[in-house]
Amino acid sequence: MVHLPSVGLAVAAASGLLQTVTAAPQASTDSTSTASTTSFLGGLFDFLDVANLTVTHHNGKLYGCKCSPGQLCWPQQWKWNQLNTTVGGNLKLHIPPAASCYNTFTGPLGTVNTYDAAACADVHANWEDEMWTVEKPGAALWTYFTNETCRPTLNPTDSCTLGYYGVYVISATTRNHIKAGIDFARRNNIRLVIRNTGHDFIGRSTGAGSLIINTHSFQDVNWISSYAGPGSYSGPAVTIAAGVQGRSILEQGHAQVPPKVIVTGECPTVGVAGGFIQGGGHGPWTTLKGLSADNVLAFEAITASGHFVTANEAQNSDLFWALKGGGPSAFAVILSVTMKTFDDVSSAGATFYVNNTHIGFDNDAYWNATSIFHKWSNHFVDNGLYVYYELFPFTLRAQPFVAIGKTVAELNAIVAPMLAELTANGIPYEWNPKSFPTFFDLYVDLFEAEAAGGSALTGGWLFDHNDVATNNDGIIEAFKTVFSPRPDIFSFIVGHLFNPGYGAPVSNSATHPSWRNATDFVITVLPVPLGASKAVKADLQNVLTNTIDQALRDASGSGATYVNEADPYQPNWQGHFWGSEYPRLKQIRKKWDPLGVFYSIATPGTEDWEVIQDTRLCKKL
């Protein structure tokens, strides 16, 4: 990262440092006349200081756009310097982490000499390491939506550019730093990106021309023996700051007496309090205790107008409800969340495999095994289990089966009918159950780290109890389409068997009602070749939306998919993400962020917003 000097960014070009903003590319002549003249008065909802959108014509349509580097509306350097002072010197020019492998990095504000052999070696060694990427101020764990313009290279003369990353990043260390960033973006018409860990499949943690606010330094945790806030709940709870990740909170919970757990994700790097909960949040405890959002008691947050608020059942109750699954970066920036905790308990887990060491390359045997496994998925979740599985050609891999509060004998008894059916059909398998003194011990032993740095498109769909009970064969046929949507394309599946309705039959969150009858949420992953042209990317997006995920939709009556792990370009994303809850969410968005200070794709109230000319975030007028 390049730290901003106290006065401007102008330095000698011979040293490879940045030119001043006034020396940036030719300023656009887009009009800066207002695209909205509505006034919003009073306290929390005072938006009188909001900057106007810039009016732009594109393909015969009229848009109001966020300001981009090189335009006359882009803040002059003294404004950025002033912001840097306000945030304690924590504003930095954002340079992609692999830039150290290149002689130079060229961004929208100029060119910088970046080659550093030691730093480049570190990049190559850690590119797929999630925690390494999380610690970078603005990096994305999965890189497709950055436009892949600065990946690790062995040729330092290659080109490294910013792609679709943000221009500046605030590594916030106080809540006033976050407020300063929100205020600056609002007052200067700058696209704003909120980034905690960068654990994001669909591009919501990055954005061209943006100011990034990184919340990952917020690591406070406060364990509460008896919650005394509004509502009927008075049991144990924990307040978690915005930057705390799943593995960290489980480790800290394990150290409590007695050990405590919360509903967090299966992946250790997921931040709990941000986009995870705002998408609903599912994980190993979801079958027993509901979605993560179902277990929220209160939020501390900052609004689009720059106000600090508490949101719970009694205060700002509409915002409280919307933040529980209503969409990330849509209503406010979460500073902390208070959640219910639960006593950790002894548990059983297992791994289950059917692969080519068992069946060779017998396609019929593979799909028969997959069908039998999936046929019993209602039975698994109806007995309180959670299962994480993967489907690749000739590989069915479930790691793990999770039976919280159960013994190995009880887990074996639940799974016995499936294993018996596999045996009756002559299908070999591997089943490895194991007991653990706590769920945390199971989590550490059986859940695996994911790899960062990949380039792929992500889709997905929810199959409910009725889908599995009445159309399991149709689901398996859809899985076959996922594997081979076209002769030249391959994709794969990551599945999650859980049912929030088992332990939380009545929703108190903004999540889709279909989750209360869930069985299997599958993620479809379509790899994208590095260096793919725009035409290839458009073709692959079309295949994901209209072939791969369409096959899943056609095999299901649930009408639902998961906000954070699905195709944001699918038709009727509003209904598929939130169902009947969507109209209320859209109204709440109009109240708390009427002018679009916040933005992330396919979230309530963003129907009229789109990215034009590859990099400009604009609203249709």
Side-chain angles (χ1 to χ4, degrees), residues 121 147 176 204 231 250 305 361 372 446 461 488 546 553 596 617:
N147 204 32
N176 283 320
R204 288 175 173 148
L250 290 176
S305 60
F361 295 96
I372 292 169
L446 294 183
W461 197 252
D488 60 325
N546 297 311
R553 291 192 290 267
L617 178 62

Side-chain angles (χ1 to χ4, degrees), residues 457 486 536-548:
L457 289 166
R486 211 169 61 191
V536 169
K537 291 178 180 179
D539 176 52
L540 292 176
Q541 179 65 60
N542 179 62
V543 170
L544 176 71
T545 302
N546 297 311
T547 302
I548 292 173

Side-chain angles (χ1 to χ4, degrees), residues 250-537:
L250 290 176
E251 287 177 340
Q252 294 180 60
H254 187 64
Q256 299 298 301
V257 181
K260 298 292 183 182
V261 295
I262 65 166
V263 180
T264 185
E266 55 84 16
C267 180
T269 62
V270 174
V272 177
F276 173 72
I277 276 180
Q278 290 174 91
H282 64 83
W285 279 79
T286 290
T287 297
L288 296 184
K289 300 298 181 181
L291 295 166
S292 190
D294 296 325
N295 291 279
V296 173
L297 300 168
F299 294 102
E300 296 294 325
I302 309 179
T303 68
S305 60
H307 289 81
F308 298 103
V309 296
T310 297
N312 55 36
E313 288 187 25
Q315 297 173 267
N316 303 306
S317 58
D318 59 342
L319 180 62
F320 175 58
W321 178 79
L323 289 173
K324 297 189 297 178
S329 297
F331 302 96
V333 177
I334 295 174
L335 295 171
S336 69
V337 61
T338 301
M339 302 177 64
K340 298 176 183 177
T341 66
F342 309 99
D343 289 343
D344 202 350
V345 292
S346 60
S347 300
T351 58
F352 169 70
Y353 309 122
V354 177
N355 55 42
N356 59 17
T357 63
H358 306 108
I359 60 172
F361 295 96
D362 186 334
N363 200 49
D364 290 339
Y366 170 74
W367 285 114
N368 192 18
T370 302
S371 179
I372 292 169
F373 164 77
H374 203 266
K375 166 188 169 183
W376 288 97
S377 55
N378 280 349
H379 172 74
F380 297 151
V381 299
D382 288 346
N383 280 274
L385 301 189
Y386 169 93
V387 184
Y388 180 92
Y389 72 92
E390 298 165 323
L391 297 179
F392 299 95
F394 306 105
T395 299
L396 162 58
R397 184 176 189 271
Q399 181 169 344
F401 274 70
V402 178
I404 296 169
K406 299 185 185 299
T407 65
V408 165
E410 289 171 316
L411 174 57
N412 283 338
I414 294 168
V415 177
M418 178 195 73
L419 301 182
E421 187 169 353
L422 288 169
T423 300
N425 281 268
I427 300 172
Y429 59 83
E430 183 178 334
W431 170 254
N432 303 299
K434 188 176 181 181
S435 63
F436 296 90
T438 66
F439 163 76
F440 178 76
D441 293 293
L442 181 157
Y443 180 83
V444 170
D445 187 54
L446 294 183
F447 281 92
E448 300 173 304
E450 297 175 353
S455 183
L457 289 166
T458 302
W461 197 252
L462 168 65
F463 295 105
D464 63 18
H465 272 53
N466 186 64
D467 294 333
V468 174
T470 64
N471 193 34
N472 193 59
D473 289 345
I475 294 171
I476 299 306
E477 288 302 312
F479 287 178
K480 294 177 182 179
T481 298
V482 173
F483 271 29
S484 184
R486 211 169 61 191
D488 60 325
I489 295 175
F490 159 76
S491 60
F492 59 92
I493 289 171
V494 177
H496 313 74
L497 305 184
F498 61 82
N499 178 20
Y502 177 89
V506 179
S507 171
N508 63 23
S509 62
T511 54
H512 197 300
S514 287
W515 288 111
R516 303 304 145 178
N517 193 38
T519 296
D520 185 10
F521 170 64
V522 300
I523 299 173
T524 55
V525 183
L526 176 57
V528 178
L530 295 180
S533 66
K534 287 184 182 180
V536 169
K537 291 178 180 179

Side-chain angles (χ1 to χ4, degrees), residues 158-204:
D158 285 344
S159 170
C160 169
T161 61
L162 191 60
Y164 299 159
Y165 272 127
V167 179
Y168 287 99
V169 57
I170 298 171
S171 295
T173 60
T174 74
R175 68 183 204 162
N176 283 320
H177 293 168
I178 299 176
K179 171 180 166 52
I182 295 171
D183 290 345
F184 187 89
R186 183 182 67 251
R187 293 165 180 166
N188 291 279
N189 188 32
I190 302 298
R191 182 175 181 177
L192 186 62
V193 167
I194 310 302
R195 191 266 193 195
N196 177 10
T197 67
H199 190 111
D200 170 25
F201 289 159
I202 56 178
R204 288 175 173 148

